[in-house]
Amino acid sequence: MTEVKREVFGHMPTEEGGGVVEKFVLKSDSVKVEILSLGCIIAALETKGRDGKFSDVVLGFDTLEGYTRKHPFFGAVVGRVANRIAKGRFTVNGKEYQLFLNNGPNSLHGGARGFDKVLWSPQVLPNGICFFRLSPDGEEGYPGDLKVWVTYTLSGRELAINYRAQTSKTTPISLTNHAYFNLAGQGSQDIYDHEISVEADSYLPVDDTKIPTGEVVGVQGTSFDLRQPVELGKHLQKFHLDGFDHNFCLQQVQARRLVARACHPPTGRAMEVHTTQPGIQFYTGNNLDGSLKGKGGVTYPKHSAFCLETQNWPDAVNKPHFPNVLLQPGEEYNHTTWLVFNAA
């Protein structure tokens, strides 16, 4: 049985439009997750280690103030389009659209005020919570009225996140959750002792602004071959890498499959990622710099967390040979990602 509780987390500042931010607590025997109505943010996720003790494994803040200030999308649902769009520009049905540039020369995670910075309307379910919002035509430069539903359900050790959307005009859409994980417990200094594997035969090389070059390159014999588990710290050292921030290309099937696994041998905590999405961005918190004070007053230095963001391939709207990212009127966008937590 999953228990669902709701409480007030805080009030949005007047200049942000005001409004009550609620926190929803989903609890099973083995996982407890706290989700905010602001940005559908996963603010905490507690899971058991080998010793049976719970630890919070996602980065975030104790108060609403942390989330209303600038932060690197901790725990949030990002959209309309996750990841980067080159020069914030794309053409649909012969019309060119220009988005806000918030990542150097590119648009990232929906723009200046994406899905992560707005209040969603919640509906409590027996085993979870469904958030809804209407993203109006022209919001952040995107075409069409877009209705979006994000549903979190907890069943035992498994947290499912389902994303659905319908549009009035053809629009690009790619939704993901941007939780930052450290299976040793949030506030642990690094993720070097984590073992990571990603079920991908190819990845997307990027230019110096992190936009895919358009090539799809096999991982065989490269530092991107994560098909067998690697210990992260040793792997980064061996290949002289600053970290990962790359899309791995998954099998192109619309069915649930296991795509990645992270494991922390010292505590026994493990997390499997299953999805219907065509890609997964593996990011090792390269831009964290210790400047943010997180939960319990801890700081989050570089490489103190990892993200496994299931999504469409970055800049797919400008790369016709990438998986289709356009949603047409009359169709429904529908993807699910499952996070399964174990203790070995």
Side-chain angles (χ1 to χ4, degrees), residues 249-265:
C249 308
L250 305 174
Q251 245 185 310
Q252 303 294 298
V253 289
Q254 256 287 71
R256 172 177 176 159
R257 63 238 183 267
L258 172 66
V259 296
R261 191 167 186 276
C263 159
H264 183 246

Side-chain angles (χ1 to χ4, degrees), residues 24-263:
F24 297 85
V25 184
L26 316 183
K27 195 167 174 246
S28 72
D29 291 345
S30 36
V31 176
K32 178 183 169 192
V33 59
E34 301 180 0
I35 305 159
L36 307 180
S37 57
L38 170 69
C40 305
I41 288 169
I42 295 178
L45 196 157
E46 295 180 21
T47 175
K48 285 180 187 172
R50 185 187 298 118
D51 59 6
K53 291 199 180 95
F54 281 92
S55 226
D56 182 3
V57 298
V58 298
L59 277 52
F61 304 102
D62 289 322
T63 62
L64 178 58
E65 203 182 12
Y67 292 107
T68 54
R69 290 202 201 116
K70 190 170 164 48
H71 68 94
F73 305 96
F74 283 157
V77 164
V78 292
R80 276 185 199 192
V81 175
N83 218 304
R84 293 169 181 85
I85 293 178
K87 301 185 174 59
R89 208 178 292 148
F90 62 89
T91 302
V92 172
N93 296 337
K95 184 175 175 192
E96 188 175 88
Y97 294 88
Q98 178 65 56
L99 310 172
F100 185 79
L101 306 180
N102 62 336
N103 187 248
N106 306 315
S107 183
L108 174 70
H109 294 329
R113 194 164 186 265
F115 288 4
D116 58 299
K117 295 179 183 69
V118 292
L119 280 177
W120 295 62
S121 305
Q123 183 195 349
V124 173
L125 307 173
N127 60 343
I129 175 83
C130 176
F131 294 102
F132 170 79
R133 80 175 295 253
L134 173 68
S135 171
D137 185 15
E139 183 174 60
E140 285 299 322
Y142 286 97
D145 286 330
L146 187 75
K147 293 177 178 173
V148 193
W149 296 263
V150 176
T151 306
Y152 292 89
T153 46
L154 181 63
S155 171
R157 296 176 289 110
E158 180 174 279
L159 177 68
I161 313 174
N162 173 258
Y163 308 91
R164 285 171 51 223
Q166 296 162 359
T167 186
S168 65
K169 289 182 190 167
T170 304
T171 185
I173 178 169
S174 173
L175 302 176
T176 193
N177 178 285
H178 208 313
Y180 286 68
F181 293 95
N182 187 320
L183 298 178
Q186 72 87 28
S188 302
Q189 284 302 287
D190 62 61
I191 46 171
Y192 299 140
D193 56 356
H194 283 56
E195 289 175 3
I196 302 279
S197 58
V198 180
E199 300 278 331
D201 296 331
S202 52
Y203 79 101
L204 301 180
V206 292
D207 66 17
D208 55 7
T209 74
K210 297 278 194 288
I211 291 287
T213 60
E215 298 167 279
V216 181
V217 175
V219 298
Q220 183 77 38
T222 74
S223 58
F224 294 88
D225 192 345
L226 305 176
R227 292 173 295 186
Q228 294 300 317
V230 301
E231 190 179 316
L232 203 51
K234 286 182 181 157
H235 188 79
L236 295 180
Q237 255 177 335
K238 176 181 170 183
F239 288 98
H240 308 290
L241 298 174
D242 183 50
F244 287 96
D245 190 4
H246 295 80
N247 179 81
F248 287 76
C249 308
L250 305 174
Q251 245 185 310
Q252 303 294 298
V253 289
Q254 256 287 71
R256 172 177 176 159
R257 63 238 183 267
L258 172 66
V259 296
R261 191 167 186 276
C263 159

